[in-house]
């Protein structure tokens, strides 16, 4: 059974850092591009970042470029999102997603709260 | 970036009636080499992550009831719920997966009239 489980969310002060993790099971991420998407409370979906199956290409939304870094460890079947210089408007549910070429499959999400 | 625009923002439909949601992309998401539209529809219920309903504009994901259907090509797409059920109350999003930089419609909230 394909499953993605995000972790690493929590409460952080403005200017702080968090590292989110996405553990995949039921499939090998080494064949798939992976994404991070977030959803602020009561709002829509915002794509944040993409990493190619082998890590050779990465893309970022303008809103997080220079602050967030996506990475992956195919040997551990894990994807990561390092988030630095966090701001109050980064507060959201963060999802990782597997791209299959036939739509994306999502995890349950991890909540990030940015507050002093 | 491809801008995705949904309409309406919300709609209320009686149980058993048809619900129709439209999605327009600012650029074509039709990939000519395989003639597939890289357009997906997701359903999101409160407190849950988005669930893939339809991909390639009209292919239902495994397990999705056949009252859900998708149509359209190029830049104009439609999600239809042929006979609304109580469990279909949710927010629906279209998404282009033509580019790695995914973009989403703003969402359409479907409620029972």
């Amino acid at each position: 059974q394909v499953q993605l489980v995000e972790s690493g969310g929590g409460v952080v002060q403005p200017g702080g850092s968090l590292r989110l993790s996405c553990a995949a099971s039921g499939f090998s991420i080494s064949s798939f591009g992976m994404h991070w998407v977030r959803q602020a409370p009561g709002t829509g979906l915002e794509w944040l970042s993409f990493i190619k199956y082998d890590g050779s290409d990465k893309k970022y939304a303008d809103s997080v470029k220079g602050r967030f870094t996506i990475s992956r460890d195919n040997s551990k079947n894990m994807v990561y999102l390092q988030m630095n210089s966090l701001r109050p408007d980064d507060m959201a549910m963060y999802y990782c997603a597997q791209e299959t070429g036939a739509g994306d499959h999502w995890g349950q999400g991890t909540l990030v709260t940015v507050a002093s | 970036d491809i801008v995705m625009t949904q309409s309406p923002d919300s709609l209320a439909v009686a149980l058993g009636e048809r619900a129709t949601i439209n999605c327009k992309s600012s650029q074509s998401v039709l990939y000519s080499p395989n003639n597939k539209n890289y357009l997906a529809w997701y359903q999101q219920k409160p407190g849950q992550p988005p669930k893939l309903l339809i991909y390639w504009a009209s292919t239902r994901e495994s397990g999705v009831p056949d009252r859900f259907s998708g149509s359209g090509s190029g830049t104009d797409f439609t999600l239809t719920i042929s006979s609304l059920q109580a469990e279909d109350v949710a927010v629906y999003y279209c998404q282009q997966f033509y580019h790695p930089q995914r973009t989403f419609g703003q969402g359409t909230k479907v409620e029972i009239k």
Side-chain angles (χ1 to χ4, degrees):
Chain A
Q1 180 186 357
V2 170
Q3 193 172 17
L4 296 167
V5 178
E6 301 90 339
S7 61
V11 180
V12 62
Q13 292 186 338
S17 298
L18 278 177
R19 187 198 197 203
L20 305 184
S21 299
C22 172
S25 59
F27 73 103
S28 171
I29 67 166
S30 62
S31 300
F32 298 96
M34 299 293 293
H35 298 261
W36 285 96
V37 179
R38 70 183 178 187
Q39 185 172 36
T43 70
L45 302 165
E46 179 188 14
W47 173 84
L48 297 179
S49 186
F50 159 80
I51 185 167
K52 198 173 177 180
Y53 69 96
D54 58 0
S56 63
D57 189 25
K58 302 175 184 180
K59 298 190 186 298
Y60 299 94
D62 288 344
S63 59
V64 304
K65 199 173 295 182
R67 299 189 300 125
F68 290 11
T69 302
I70 193 170
S71 62
R72 64 192 297 155
D73 186 336
N74 287 346
S75 68
K76 294 182 178 179
N77 232 23
M78 298 284 294
V79 182
Y80 306 98
L81 187 68
Q82 177 66 43
M83 306 189 297
N84 298 330
S85 303
L86 283 162
R87 311 186 297 222
D89 62 356
D90 293 318
M91 185 164 65
M93 184 69 78
Y94 284 71
Y95 299 100
C96 71
Q98 170 206 12
E99 68 169 36
T100 68
D104 300 335
H105 292 96
W106 301 45
Q108 293 292 313
T110 187
L111 184 63
V112 173
T113 301
V114 183
S116 53
Chain B
D1 290 358
I2 300 178
V3 177
M4 309 298 291
T5 304
Q6 287 181 233
S7 62
D9 291 335
S10 65
L11 75 161
V13 176
L15 287 172
E17 295 300 305
R18 179 184 301 261
T20 301
I21 302 169
N22 299 301
C23 175
K24 189 174 184 68
S25 59
S26 62
Q27 304 170 34
S28 175
V29 297
L30 175 63
Y31 186 58
S32 299
N34 62 10
N35 201 39
K36 291 187 185 299
N37 288 280
Y38 280 64
L39 186 285
W41 289 96
Y42 295 85
Q43 176 193 64
Q44 187 177 33
K45 297 181 179 180
Q48 296 184 19
K51 172 189 172 185
L52 178 63
L53 290 179
I54 287 173
Y55 57 93
W56 294 334
S58 61
T59 302
R60 267 189 306 275
E61 176 75 339
S62 175
V64 172
D66 61 6
R67 63 180 179 274
F68 291 92
S69 64
S71 63
S73 185
T75 61
D76 292 279
F77 302 91
T78 300
L79 174 70
T80 301
I81 310 172
S82 60
S83 176
L84 191 74
Q85 304 299 303
E87 61 265 33
D88 301 333
V89 169
V91 179
Y92 293 83
Y93 295 93
C94 62
Q95 177 215 42
Q96 63 78 19
F97 57 103
Y98 188 90
H99 289 307
Q101 298 97 320
R102 303 291 200 243
T103 47
F104 300 88
Q106 77 274 23
T108 296
K109 187 174 185 178
V110 174
E111 299 173 309
I112 305 295
K113 185 187 290 183

